């Protein structure tokens, strides 16, 4: 059975959502965040100490969207993926990575600074810049969703799961 390493409000939520959508089961091991500090034994699974990780036999994967795509293909349920050759493939790829790259970068800064700041630490300018950047990056997303329920292909895809995680963090 596949094992998923998960922490609350971490990118592993994408993996759990994907499993639910494709009707697949996995053993889920919940860890405190950040596991590299709070669960040092986890470094034997993922030396980078990041969440998620997936173990499937000898295969270990640590990138949330790659794990989602792998699991969908493994279980023969590609409903969340837009295949090569489909006219919606390019927009699918665009929005799939928009969630991770474009939205999560300022969200990661905000999350990390909020988690680590101490009284007297000068963080206001950094947080203001990250929030302004995030707001600007949400504009194209709003435009894309105007009149749509989903980002691409008229259905739920991994692109939606990717982007919604960033919105969840916001």
């Amino acid at each position: 059975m596949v094992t998923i390493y998960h922490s609350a409000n971490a990118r592993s939520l994408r993996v759990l959502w994907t499993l639910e959508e494709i009707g697949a089961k996995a053993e889920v091991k919940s860890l405190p965040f950040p596991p590299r500090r709070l669960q040092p034994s986890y470094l034997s699974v993922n030396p980078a100490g990041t969440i998620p990780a997936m173990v499937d036999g000898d295969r270990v994967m640590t990138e949330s969207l790659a794990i989602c795509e792998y699991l969908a293909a493994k279980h023969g349920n590609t409903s969340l993926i837009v295949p090569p050759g489909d006219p919606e493939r390019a927009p699918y790829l665009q929005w799939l990575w928009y969630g991770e790259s474009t939205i999560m970068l300022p969200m990661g800064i905000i999350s990390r600074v909020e988690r680590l700041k101490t009284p007297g630490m000068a963080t206001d300018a950094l947080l203001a810049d990250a929030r302004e950047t995030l707001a600007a990056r949400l504009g194209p997303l709003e435009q894309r969703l105007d009149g749509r329920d989903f980002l691409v292909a008229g259905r739920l895809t991994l692109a939606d799961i990717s982007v919604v995680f960033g919105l969840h963090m916001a």
Side-chain angles (χ1 to χ4, degrees):
M1 176 175 272
V2 170
T3 301
I4 304 296
Y5 291 85
H6 164 68
S7 291
N9 292 318
R11 287 172 172 89
S12 52
L13 284 172
R14 291 174 173 152
V15 177
L16 300 183
W17 185 0
T18 297
L19 286 167
E20 182 70 24
E21 292 295 332
I22 65 174
K25 302 283 184 222
E27 177 184 3
V28 177
K29 293 189 177 184
S30 294
L31 303 175
F33 189 85
R36 69 181 169 276
R37 286 197 202 116
L38 301 175
Q39 188 92 30
S41 62
Y42 175 65
L43 296 174
S44 67
V45 175
N46 180 2
T50 58
I51 289 288
M54 179 205 72
V55 177
D56 185 13
D58 292 339
R59 182 172 315 280
V60 177
M61 296 177 73
T62 60
E63 292 297 325
S64 64
L65 295 172
I67 294 168
C68 293
E69 193 158 335
Y70 171 85
L71 291 170
K74 174 184 171 82
H75 292 281
N77 185 333
T78 56
S79 64
L80 295 175
I81 299 168
V82 177
D86 187 302
E88 288 288 297
R89 177 69 175 184
Y92 165 76
L93 292 172
Q94 168 69 21
W95 292 105
L96 177 70
W97 294 107
Y98 198 88
E100 181 56 26
S101 306
T102 304
I103 292 176
M104 283 309 299
L105 178 65
M107 277 311 312
I109 292 169
I110 293 166
S111 175
R112 180 159 288 179
V113 170
E114 291 287 356
R115 185 169 42 91
L116 298 175
K117 74 179 180 179
T118 58
M121 182 185 273
T123 59
D124 292 347
L126 181 59
L127 286 171
D129 179 68
R131 288 183 177 116
E132 180 182 318
T133 299
L134 177 62
R137 292 175 179 197
L138 292 177
L141 177 61
E142 279 189 75
Q143 288 177 333
R144 178 66 181 187
L145 286 170
D146 188 30
R148 299 172 187 258
D149 292 328
F150 302 102
L151 286 166
V152 297
R155 60 184 165 83
L156 181 72
T157 67
L158 291 179
D160 299 290
I161 291 173
S162 174
V163 167
V164 167
F165 175 73
L167 298 177
H168 167 74
M169 293 303 293

